[in-house]
Amino acid sequence: MKAWEATIRKTQQAKKQATNIFGSAHVAHVDDEETEDEIHAAGEVYNAERYLSNGDYYTGQWQDNFPHGFGKYWWTDGCMYVGDWFKGKTMGRGTFSWPSGATYDGEFKSGYMDGEGTYTGPNGDTYRGHWIMNLKHGHGVKEYTNGDIYDGEWCRGLQDGNGKYKWKDGSYYYVGEWKNGTMCDKGTLFFSDGSMYEGEWDEGLPKGNGSFKYADECEYNGNWSKDIEEQDLTFSPCAGCDVEHDPQQVYDVLKDCEISPQDIVTILPSQKKLAIWRSSKGNEPSVRPRRMSVDGRLDGNVDKEFSQMTMSDDNERSMKSRDDTSMLSSEGSPIRIPNIVKKQGETISKGHKNYELMLNLQLGIRHSVGRPGPVPSLDLKASAFNPKEKVWTRFPPEGSKHTPPHQSSEFRWKDYCPLVFRTLRMLFKVDAADYMLSICGNNALRELSSPGKSGSFFYLTHDDRYMIKTIKKTEVKAILRMLSAYYNHFRSFEHTLLTKFYGLHCVKLTGPAQKKVRFIIMGNLFCTDYVIHRRFDLKGSSLGRLTDKPESEIQTTTILKDLDLKFMFRLDKNWIQEFRRQIDRDCDFLEQERIMDYSLLVGLHFRETDVNELGTSIDDSTYRVSDPGGSKLGISMHTRVEKMERKNEMELIGEPTGVCYDVVMFFGIIDILQDYDITKKLEHAYKSFQYDPTSISAVDPRQYSRRFRDFILKVFIEDED
């Protein structure tokens, strides 16, 4: 131990920079071994040694009950952090080592590997480059133990952007674009014999327009695909060549050119729990140390007696329900998180009032999507967007030439602008078979009653991927009117937050009523393995925008509104800039299309422990960082929220408190089919006589857009820590 202490002292003299690993959350008082004969003045930095009752050990510089300066923390499981501390937080350089032999040496921020740093895995893989919140993000070089090397851009833990990948034996290397960890878009694959493929890629394989040039100058040009039937290639022989090469050579080579997998880490620095102290002078010596993670979050498994000491009387009374809930706590009020989460909605089984309607819907979609047709081009003609472009199909019970027999009553099915929605599904990379399986498979849909005033019903697919909403005729007219602009908006802006629409249909039931039910099929923003603990529907208005439920009655399915919001949403510098730009673009689009009354739907998953991954590999199936579009704005974003407090209950924006929670966040703009029609104009006129006109939801699209973006851009702020 003496030799180890001597090493620490030498290192202390060599390093004096600032880093951060504790947060400023409330801490319990415990007996420490601060020397009884030495009193330190407030603000004084001195050397200290702390032995914890759980076996952890800290030695280093200390100030006012926190590590401050250079210090070393050793956990009983063999993990160790050596680096600089600043008032209990890491904010600079340090080294974290695992018992497996893995190490990270670099910059830390709020307990995360964040900034420039080098990670060496237990198998010898090494990454040198930039990090954001434990994820490779920015430029970096990854050297694999098998000899492979990647040098290029990363995004949220995956190769994404421009990069070069060289395989171990040097026979092949790729230079070009990457997306979600695979070769994508434009790039060039070089062979050791001088041959090369240059062109378009998709999911790691040549697909699209490209050319393959052999070492002897022979060349294939045209449309490439792994499926030979989809290939359309022209062979250009070199002078004097009488041999026709095989274009499949490039695919055969790629079978041996796999991208090495990402690292798996069982626990991250930000997940480690630390016991923190205050001097025991004048305090109860029996109170146990409270543990918190190195990014400042208190341990969720708090001792019962300590929980009872820190909760208010109201919370003590609510402890009766603790079997069904857990408390996520930092400074300030705890957040009650239900442990038991039921699936939303009522399964539509035989005997349900809408069972036959569900069967009609499934039959119609299977017919529409399964109908053969040419692969659509993304460059659609104007005629495809004509509102008169619709197809009616009759479904008699006995079946017909084009429809199967079924057990439902006869109905008619209408497809609106079928080519446009088929192309949108292709643009959104939706596989037709998977789409039909989600909606039309053996599993029933689940019916949700509308949380809003529209009277619409929502149906969820069994896998939660798609939501089907009943809509009014006016909403059908709205989407058909703006469909061309909507399509072009999605083609232009990859990170648009607007709802994705996959199909627009109508079922006309036979019989005396001749009832018509119109549906739109949308993506479900909360299709994720994460439990969404809080849901917010935000408009930027205050009238009627309060759920007015106590914390104990809020369920995971409760839709909270503007005046229920108690958080500011923190995004890192790169994402906040893109978010602001995209909010402006989307609001401009909706304003031009005369749309109002839309909302930003936000879902939060509170993380009691950080995501158990480095890169994208995860051991705990509760977390799924690999959600489709995991590096897309609004989808599965690992960030923080900061608690805010209002001076009065009708104030939209409160004051930040400095209390932060780690979350996984989802958000998108919903309800984008409301025209500012005569009904809304009358509503605006009527309510303006009774209330402040700026507080009501029904205002003209220009005013609505301005108010909406002003509010949203105030509650979404840059995370500077």
Side-chain angles (χ1 to χ4, degrees), residues 428 486 490 496-502 521-523 632 669:
F428 299 151
Y486 172 89
F490 268 90
T496 178
L497 299 173
L498 300 181
T499 304
K500 287 182 178 178
F501 295 137
Y502 297 95
I521 302 174
M522 310 177 290
K632 186 179 184 301
I669 298 175

Side-chain angles (χ1 to χ4, degrees), residues 510-662:
T510 57
Q514 293 284 302
K515 181 182 178 183
K516 285 184 180 180
V517 184
R518 300 169 182 87
F519 299 93
I520 192 160
I521 302 174
M522 310 177 290
N524 178 18
L525 182 63
F526 299 150
C527 176
T528 175
D529 289 340
Y530 293 103
V531 175
I532 302 299
H533 296 126
R534 288 290 182 273
R535 301 165 191 248
F536 296 95
D537 181 278
L538 305 175
K539 293 178 182 287
S541 57
S542 57
L543 183 64
R545 303 298 295 163
L546 180 67
T547 305
D548 201 20
K549 283 188 175 184
E551 186 77 28
S552 59
E553 293 180 15
I554 296 175
Q555 302 299 315
T556 57
T557 55
T558 303
I559 304 294
L560 301 170
K561 300 179 182 179
D562 301 66
L563 293 177
D564 300 302
L565 183 64
K566 298 178 181 177
F567 304 106
M568 288 181 167
F569 309 110
R570 290 182 164 273
L571 299 180
D572 69 49
K573 183 178 180 180
N574 293 330
W575 279 122
I576 194 67
Q577 292 173 352
E578 178 59 30
F579 175 77
R580 289 165 180 162
R581 285 193 295 266
Q582 197 56 55
I583 283 290
D584 284 339
R585 293 164 183 156
D586 291 342
C587 286
D588 287 344
F589 166 80
L590 294 169
E591 182 182 332
Q592 289 165 11
E593 296 302 318
R594 303 290 295 165
I595 300 295
M596 43 78 68
D597 215 19
Y598 44 88
S599 310
L600 187 74
L601 183 64
V602 180
L604 301 178
H605 168 86
F606 288 90
R607 294 188 290 164
E608 290 189 329
T609 57
D610 284 311
V611 177
N612 190 18
E613 56 84 33
L614 178 62
T616 56
S617 301
I618 311 154
D619 290 337
D620 187 347
S621 61
T622 303
Y623 300 105
R624 188 176 72 188
V625 180
S626 56
D627 281 325
S631 57
K632 186 179 184 301
L633 186 68
I635 302 296
S636 193
M637 300 189 73
H638 294 248
T639 183
R640 299 192 302 163
V641 295
E642 180 177 356
K643 194 165 185 180
M644 67 177 181
E645 293 181 354
R646 293 182 174 85
K647 294 178 181 177
N648 65 74
E649 61 180 16
M650 295 306 292
E651 186 180 44
L652 276 174
I653 307 291
E655 293 296 326
T657 63
V659 178
C660 294
Y661 302 93
D662 288 323

Side-chain angles (χ1 to χ4, degrees), residues 683-698:
E683 181 185 343
H684 173 76
Y686 174 73
K687 289 185 176 179
S688 294
F689 283 113
Q690 299 176 296
Y691 309 102
D692 178 0
T694 62
S695 70
I696 62 179
S697 179

Side-chain angles (χ1 to χ4, degrees), residues 175-240:
V175 179
E177 294 295 315
W178 294 73
K179 194 167 187 178
N180 292 329
T182 61
M183 298 171 283
C184 196
D185 296 332
K186 293 184 179 180
T188 304
L189 179 67
F190 296 89
F191 296 75
S192 57
D193 64 358
S195 302
M196 72 175 196
Y197 168 82
E198 182 177 12
E200 296 177 342
W201 295 73
D202 185 47
E203 296 184 354
L205 294 173
K207 188 170 184 180
N209 191 43
S211 66
F212 189 97
K213 185 178 288 186
Y214 293 86
D216 60 8
E217 299 298 322
C218 292
E219 191 170 350
Y220 272 104
N221 290 281
N223 186 63
W224 290 78
S225 174
K226 189 177 181 182
D227 186 347
I228 297 177
E229 294 181 0
E230 294 181 5
Q231 286 187 359
D232 184 12
L233 301 173
T234 302
F235 181 66
S236 303
C238 59

Side-chain angles (χ1 to χ4, degrees), residues 86 160 168 178 191 201 373 393 413 429 488 572:
F86 181 77
D160 202 305
K168 51 189 174 184
W178 294 73
F191 296 75
W201 295 73
T393 306
W413 173 262
K429 297 185 177 179
N488 290 328
D572 69 49

Side-chain angles (χ1 to χ4, degrees), residues 15 50 83 127 132 144 148-149 192 256 292 340 352-353 402 416 467 475 539 550 628 679:
K15 289 191 175 183
R50 297 287 183 263
Y127 170 83
I132 287 183
Y144 300 89
D148 291 1
I149 299 175
S192 57
D256 301 322
M292 66 192 302
I340 301 172
H352 190 283
K353 63 179 182 178
H402 302 291
Y416 295 91
M467 186 173 283
E475 292 175 300
K539 293 178 182 287
T679 305

Side-chain angles (χ1 to χ4, degrees), residues 309-538:
M309 288 170 57
T310 56
M311 289 193 295
S312 66
D313 292 339
D314 288 339
N315 285 332
E316 286 181 6
R317 286 193 291 271
S318 68
M319 283 293 286
K320 295 176 183 178
S321 62
R322 71 176 288 158
D323 290 339
D324 296 329
T325 61
S326 60
M327 305 296 291
L328 180 65
S329 177
S330 186
E331 281 188 73
S333 301
I335 298 174
R336 184 172 294 277
I337 302 298
N339 290 330
I340 301 172
V341 180
K342 297 178 181 178
K343 270 205 165 188
Q344 275 186 283
E346 176 188 359
T347 301
I348 305 176
S349 53
K350 200 163 186 177
H352 190 283
K353 63 179 182 178
N354 287 327
Y355 179 70
E356 195 163 293
L357 183 62
M358 181 190 74
L359 293 182
N360 296 346
L361 173 69
Q362 292 177 324
L363 283 165
I365 289 175
R366 191 180 291 117
H367 170 75
S368 300
V369 179
R371 188 168 50 224
V375 177
S377 165
L378 291 177
D379 297 316
L380 294 175
K381 296 180 180 178
S383 58
F385 298 95
N386 191 326
K388 295 181 180 179
E389 275 292 307
K390 47 196 173 188
V391 179
W392 276 106
T393 306
R394 189 172 70 91
F395 280 78
E398 66 276 10
S400 68
K401 182 179 178 181
H402 302 291
T403 63
H406 58 87
Q407 298 178 349
S408 180
S409 301
E410 180 173 328
F411 68 95
R412 295 185 70 199
W413 173 262
K414 183 194 285 188
D415 270 330
Y416 295 91
C417 295
L419 180 59
V420 176
F421 285 102
R422 182 185 287 257
T423 310
L424 277 170
R425 292 193 295 271
M426 184 179 75
L427 183 66
F428 299 151
K429 297 185 177 179
V430 172
D431 180 78
D434 290 341
Y435 183 69
M436 285 193 291
L437 195 62
S438 288
I439 301 173
C440 313
N442 295 327
N443 296 284
L445 303 176
R446 303 196 309 277
E447 183 181 74
L448 317 175
S449 59
S450 171
K453 301 175 184 177
S454 66
S456 297
F457 281 87
F458 293 84
Y459 302 91
L460 267 176
T461 57
H462 72 95
D463 56 7
D464 290 341
R465 287 186 179 276
Y466 303 103
M467 186 173 283
I468 303 164
K469 179 186 179 184
T470 62
I471 59 175
K472 296 176 289 189
K473 188 176 181 178
T474 54
E475 292 175 300
V476 172
K477 289 182 177 179
I479 189 170
L480 292 177
R481 175 181 53 75
M482 68 176 187
L483 189 56
S484 177
Y486 172 89
Y487 177 79
N488 290 328
H489 190 77
F490 268 90
R491 285 197 68 183
S492 301
F493 304 113
E494 178 187 4
H495 291 299
T496 178
L497 299 173
L498 300 181
T499 304
K500 287 182 178 178
F501 295 137
Y502 297 95
L504 182 63
H505 312 284
C506 175
V507 170
K508 184 177 181 181
L509 305 175
T510 57
Q514 293 284 302
K515 181 182 178 183
K516 285 184 180 180
V517 184
R518 300 169 182 87
F519 299 93
I520 192 160
I521 302 174
M522 310 177 290
N524 178 18
L525 182 63
F526 299 150
C527 176
T528 175
D529 289 340
Y530 293 103
V531 175
I532 302 299
H533 296 126
R534 288 290 182 273
R535 301 165 191 248
F536 296 95
D537 181 278
L538 305 175

